Amino acid sequence: GGRRRLTDSWRGRPAIEGGVCSGGSPRGLIAGGMSTGGAEEEEVDVSRELELVVKAARGNKVEKVLSGCERILSVLPSDGVVLRTKCVCLLKKGRFEEGAAVAAAIGARGEEAYCAYRRGAAAEALELAAGGEDRLSRCVEAQARYKLGDFEGAARCYASLVNDSRPSVLANLLAAVAAGSCGEAAQSSREIARRCGELEAGKHYEACFNGACVLLERGLAAEALAVLERVEAAPSLAHHASATDARLVETLAAACLAATGRRAEARERCKRVLDAAK
């Protein structure tokens, strides 16, 4: 045991995707001023609007980026880069119905799947994301499988992503492994202990907690305790973890102590947790 925590930090999307902020000349955009044609219609200087969009994106000013995209799309309605940028802005603002419509129009299945997941439609999200090769599609597929109870499938998806070095992915992989009681094939105990040992334990306590859950369920209480003791000793734990989460770490440590025969220490820890919760 112990509680498994599934984190959602993969949800954060960059303000701009697809080349607008890549540093070079943006793809698919016309440089220079441009008019819609009618004398009574407002002129749209695409080059200037693009400069403003890039500046706003670098400052993470999503509303200004979105407004700029709308102005550019008024004269370049099918520009793929600007449409994708608009889509990302809509996602960041939580406008998932509109974001899904834009994503579908440009064939961005990862973003479309993400919108479905955030609307609570896990089965639809899985259908859209399954088989996708981009990172977002694979993340959504993993998250949707976890939500639907397919923990082994989720573990396989997360395992394909775990080398991107993001602790949130490792945390979710270990949550899926623990929830599904997946065996060594999903993630070896030695590898779990190694990865947890490389993390900044206080900052990434969730991944360490999930790893300790897996190790304890596999009968490796001493190894699980070693992971948790690193977390407890980390000066940054108080900054990153709530008091409730810190008590969960100590409770799991008590279970590890009991499993290794150190029952008096386990009782003392449990008493400390109960006293702190009063």
Side-chain angles (χ1 to χ4, degrees):
R3 187 184 71 168
R4 293 95 184 181
R5 296 178 58 87
L6 188 70
T7 70
D8 285 325
S9 55
W10 62 275
R11 288 182 178 179
R13 307 290 299 134
I16 292 292
E17 288 191 355
V20 172
C21 273
S22 63
S25 298
R27 301 187 307 253
L29 289 174
I30 298 175
M34 194 168 180
S35 168
T36 55
E40 73 285 354
E41 296 176 351
E42 179 187 359
E43 276 200 355
V44 177
D45 184 337
V46 175
S47 182
R48 175 59 178 160
E49 292 294 345
L50 177 59
E51 289 176 8
L52 294 174
V53 165
V54 171
K55 183 177 179 181
R58 287 173 176 159
N60 203 30
K61 297 176 180 177
V62 180
E63 193 63 54
K64 287 188 176 181
V65 175
L66 186 55
S67 297
C69 287
E70 295 288 13
R71 286 192 293 273
I72 295 171
L73 289 169
S74 70
V75 293
L76 297 172
S78 60
D79 187 279
V81 175
V82 181
L83 283 168
R84 182 175 288 274
T85 302
K86 176 183 176 179
C87 177
V88 173
C89 289
L90 292 170
L91 268 56
K92 289 179 75 69
K93 291 186 68 65
R95 293 161 60 178
F96 300 117
E97 292 285 352
E98 296 168 80
V102 177
I106 61 175
R109 288 179 68 87
E111 281 78 2
E112 191 179 359
Y114 176 85
C115 291
Y117 183 85
R118 292 298 303 273
R119 294 197 320 269
E124 179 186 348
L126 178 57
E127 183 178 351
L128 287 164
E133 296 183 359
D134 60 292
R135 183 181 182 279
L136 180 58
S137 292
R138 287 184 291 157
C139 281
V140 174
E141 180 181 354
Q143 206 88 346
R145 288 188 184 280
Y146 189 101
K147 193 85 168 179
L148 295 168
D150 180 9
F151 302 120
E152 290 195 17
R156 285 194 300 272
C157 291
Y158 282 126
S160 73
L161 289 163
V162 79
N163 288 331
D164 75 359
S165 78
R166 302 186 192 198
S168 61
V169 174
L170 177 61
N172 288 354
L173 165 63
L174 296 176
V177 171
S181 299
C182 305
E184 290 279 329
Q187 189 78 171
S188 74
S189 300
R190 178 178 294 180
E191 182 69 3
I192 290 170
R194 182 188 70 78
R195 286 185 176 276
C196 289
E198 292 175 349
L199 293 174
E200 184 184 335
K203 182 177 181 180
H204 303 301
Y205 70 93
E206 289 181 320
C208 292
F209 180 91
N210 291 345
C213 283
V214 177
L215 294 170
L216 181 59
E217 288 180 350
R218 291 178 178 177
L220 301 172
E223 289 83 348
L225 182 60
V227 171
L228 295 170
E229 286 177 339
R230 281 191 67 244
V231 173
E232 292 179 312
S236 61
L237 179 63
H239 176 71
H240 294 288
S242 66
T244 299
D245 283 348
R247 287 196 293 270
L248 282 170
V249 171
E250 186 159 17
T251 301
L252 187 58
C256 293
L257 286 166
T260 56
R262 297 159 63 180
R263 299 189 181 278
E265 293 174 75
R267 283 194 295 272
E268 180 58 33
R269 278 183 175 262
C270 287
K271 181 178 182 302
R272 200 157 62 217
V273 169
L274 292 172
D275 288 344
K278 290 178 181 177

